[in-house]
Amino acid sequence: MGIASIWCLALILIKWLASKRRGAISYDSSDQTALYIRMLGDVRVRSRAGFETERRGSHPYIDFRIFHSNSEIEVSVSARNVRRLLSFQRYLRSSRFFRGITVPNSSNILDDDYNGQAKCMLEKVGNWNFDIFLFDRLTNGNSLVSLTFHLFNLHGLIEHFQLDTMKLRRFLVMVQEDYHSQNPYHNAVHAADVTQAMHCYLKEPKLSKSLTPWDILLSLIAAATHDLDHPGVNQPFLIKTNHYLATLYKNTSVLENHHWRSAVGLLRESGLFAHMSLENRQLMESQIGDLILATDISQQNEYLSMFRSHLDRGDLCLENANHRHFILQMALKCADICNPCRTWELSKQWSEKVTEEFFHQGDIEKKYHLGVSPLCDRQTETIANIQIGFMTYLVEPLFGEWARFSNTRLSQTMLGHLGLNKASWKGVQREQSGSGDDVDPTFEEMDSDILPQEPRLS
């Protein structure tokens, strides 16, 4: 068979595969009141599902050509709309495939030795010193899939909700793939770390005796998907670059809304809960959204104020489903920013990774003359200053109140690590500046009401 014939057959095969491609969610900027499902032939159909998911592959692609001339923007709009239908990860893979470049498979089968070590670690998954970085290496980069699947089984969720294990694994693989491995911090390892922390909180005596399987299911899914498809830049960056997600969500909890809708899209695509009633599925999607939206750090004051008021009045009743849901929101908030409460060896690694991501955004902002966001300028900021401010104005107030709610050995351990890590960063700060009194002024602008006068552990 000649080369020409082979190419013809290849083109026919590609066209056939394209004809089988499922629709993807697309935002049409000419009509900002609706989302459309873009089908083959550019047929558009309004959704009647109540609200739109963001289907797998709707990654908030950052196209830096928007910073050039208007004529360039007009030329690139159609191309940008097409690329938006694929996540960056999937676009990269498909591009390499058609260029004939082999893409390494992250799901290679591990040898028995590594599998054995990973299984041994999972036996201690409830230990606060759990090393997620080591676990990720032992699972060949599949920490989120391995850990979350294990927790579903450990909590009896597979049996209780009659879940198809193949669908569950497919869902978790899709979730892990839609985190961006090129992000230093907001990647699948962070999601696995947050999920492990959430498991530790679910085991706390006050919660473990009150939570239902439904509560645990929502908590683990929300933890695993809380930063799904994160682009590695923050909300102000999306707003000032006029990103389509900022427009879609009206500049409010932009990333958190995207994470939630993306998670719902994967749940629907996987069919994991297709055997449940429509009413239960819609309730699940809504409550997962409540949990993920609570991780918006700009809403910290509001949630912390409510939490403190409940604790002051002593009126939290975990027999009440609404109160349990609120506590799960606070637990996920704690899990999301618990890095400073880990051991120094783990906490330091996370601090370096998140700062690297901040600085990368700052470099982009400098390059395109956007104005560097707070904490993102590598010329004026240091890891020590950022971490001391973060601990002082965000982490300490939240975990101080959590310890009031759940005054256990775990809470005291977390506060102990927090104090030691802060002292360590102050030591680094003194070495760098000769003074231990410098705190990043960015954090001082936050509402002082979130700071307790004294930690109350009653």
Side-chain angles (χ1 to χ4, degrees):
M1 185 180 294
I3 295 177
S5 300
I6 293 174
W7 272 109
C8 287
L9 288 174
L11 288 173
I12 292 172
L13 176 61
I14 291 170
K15 288 181 179 179
W16 180 81
L17 290 172
S19 70
K20 299 298 181 183
R21 180 177 175 272
R22 296 173 62 181
I25 299 303
S26 174
Y27 180 66
D28 186 348
S29 59
S30 65
D31 180 359
Q32 297 187 4
T33 64
L35 284 171
Y36 293 92
I37 301 178
R38 186 181 297 276
M39 301 293 188
L40 291 171
D42 203 28
V43 177
R44 293 171 182 176
V45 183
R46 282 187 187 274
S47 169
R48 298 185 177 88
F51 71 83
E52 282 292 356
T53 66
E54 288 195 32
R55 184 186 176 274
R56 184 186 189 201
S58 60
H59 166 63
Y61 171 67
I62 309 296
D63 189 342
F64 296 110
R65 289 172 294 180
I66 65 177
F67 303 129
H68 300 310
S69 66
N70 289 333
S71 60
E72 290 182 72
I73 294 175
E74 292 172 2
V75 171
S76 65
V77 163
S78 60
R80 190 164 70 249
N81 285 342
V82 171
R83 291 180 69 173
R84 183 181 300 158
L85 299 179
L86 293 174
S87 73
F88 181 81
Q89 300 284 64
R90 238 163 300 292
Y91 176 81
L92 183 62
R93 288 171 184 162
S94 62
S95 298
R96 286 177 172 176
F97 174 78
F98 288 116
R99 293 201 307 269
I101 301 174
T102 302
V103 182
N105 182 6
S106 63
S107 301
N108 292 329
I109 298 176
L110 300 173
D111 61 44
D112 291 339
D113 184 46
Y114 275 76
N115 266 323
Q117 292 181 59
K119 288 178 181 177
C120 285
M121 286 195 70
L122 285 176
E123 292 175 2
K124 300 181 180 179
V125 70
N127 190 319
W128 187 247
N129 296 331
F130 190 87
D131 187 341
I132 197 65
F133 297 111
L134 173 59
F135 185 70
D136 191 62
R137 292 193 294 272
L138 293 175
T139 57
N140 197 30
N142 291 292
S143 56
L144 183 57
V145 173
S146 301
L147 184 138
T148 310
F149 191 93
H150 174 77
L151 292 180
F152 266 66
N153 193 45
L154 185 66
H155 286 281
L157 301 178
I158 296 175
E159 181 179 359
H160 183 86
F161 291 101
Q162 299 180 332
L163 301 181
D164 183 320
T165 55
M166 293 299 293
K167 288 183 178 180
L168 174 59
R169 188 166 291 278
R170 178 171 180 259
F171 167 69
L172 295 176
V173 168
M174 289 194 297
V175 169
Q176 181 172 272
E177 285 183 349
D178 277 3
Y179 278 95
H180 304 159
S181 58
Q182 75 272 19
N183 289 347
Y185 182 83
H186 289 104
N187 52 43
V189 184
H190 166 65
D193 185 62
V194 171
T195 305
Q196 189 271 337
M198 193 68 174
H199 167 64
C200 292
Y201 300 151
L202 297 178
K203 288 174 53 193
E204 290 287 74
K206 268 192 176 182
L207 287 175
S208 63
K209 66 183 181 183
S210 303
L211 295 179
T212 65
W214 179 263
D215 297 326
I216 296 171
L217 178 70
L218 297 179
S219 300
L220 294 180
I221 293 177
T225 62
H226 81 283
D227 274 331
L228 188 62
D229 208 24
H230 197 293
V233 293
N234 61 19
Q235 174 173 294
F237 183 93
L238 298 180
I239 292 173
K240 66 185 174 185
T241 56
N242 297 316
H243 194 274
Y244 80 101
L245 284 180
T247 303
L248 177 60
Y249 297 119
K250 298 180 172 57
N251 299 342
T252 303
S253 298
V254 175
L255 287 170
E256 290 74 23
N257 270 297
H258 176 62
H259 305 323
W260 166 34
R261 303 300 172 89
S262 298
V264 171
L266 293 191
L267 283 171
R268 293 182 182 181
E269 182 175 349
S270 68
L272 180 59
F273 298 107
H275 59 290
M276 287 187 177
S277 68
L278 176 62
E279 182 181 2
N280 282 341
R281 293 201 305 271
Q282 290 178 335
L283 177 63
M284 174 186 294
E285 293 171 359
S286 174
Q287 292 187 336
I288 288 173
D290 292 338
L291 292 174
I292 293 177
L293 290 174
T295 63
D296 184 353
I297 204 68
S298 69
Q299 304 297 318
Q300 175 89 340
N301 290 4
E302 177 184 345
Y303 282 95
L304 194 54
S305 177
M306 286 192 293
F307 195 29
R308 181 176 293 136
S309 295
H310 277 302
L311 295 175
D312 288 343
R313 294 193 302 266
D315 62 357
L316 279 172
C317 175
L318 296 185
E319 300 301 315
N320 182 313
N322 291 331
H323 284 193
R324 286 200 311 275
H325 194 64
F326 175 69
I327 290 301
L328 292 178
Q329 288 178 310
M330 298 308 300
L332 184 55
K333 287 179 67 63
C334 287
D336 191 27
I337 62 171
C338 72
N339 301 150
C341 301
R342 300 283 192 176
T343 62
W344 170 252
E345 291 75 17
L346 298 176
S347 179
K348 183 172 182 288
Q349 291 183 70
W350 285 120
S351 300
E352 292 167 347
K353 289 177 182 296
V354 73
T355 306
E356 181 184 349
E357 194 166 294
F358 287 165
F359 288 169
H360 177 66
Q361 176 180 322
D363 293 342
I364 295 172
E365 291 169 328
K366 284 182 181 179
K367 180 177 179 179
Y368 293 102
H369 310 289
L370 295 173
V372 181
S373 298
L375 310 179
C376 295
D377 192 339
R378 68 173 71 246
Q379 303 302 320
T380 60
E381 299 287 355
T382 66
I383 299 179
N385 285 352
I386 292 173
Q387 286 303 307
I388 292 170
F390 179 57
M391 293 177 185
T392 302
Y393 295 103
L394 292 174
V395 183
E396 286 178 347
L398 178 60
F399 281 85
E401 297 302 322
W402 181 262
R404 288 181 63 198
F405 165 71
S406 178
N407 188 14
T408 62
R409 177 180 293 182
L410 174 59
S411 293
Q412 296 308 315
T413 297
M414 292 190 296
L415 290 176
H417 286 318
L418 178 59
L420 291 173
N421 292 336
K422 186 176 180 180
S424 296
W425 284 119
K426 284 188 174 182
V428 173
Q429 186 186 60
R430 282 192 294 271
E431 292 177 4
Q432 293 173 340
S433 65
S435 170
D437 299 327
D438 296 335
V439 175
D440 198 305
T442 302
F443 291 102
E444 293 181 342
E445 297 174 3
M446 299 190 66
D447 191 340
S448 60
D449 288 343
I450 69 173
L451 296 177
Q453 296 302 312
E454 293 290 340
R456 292 166 289 181
L457 305 178
S458 58

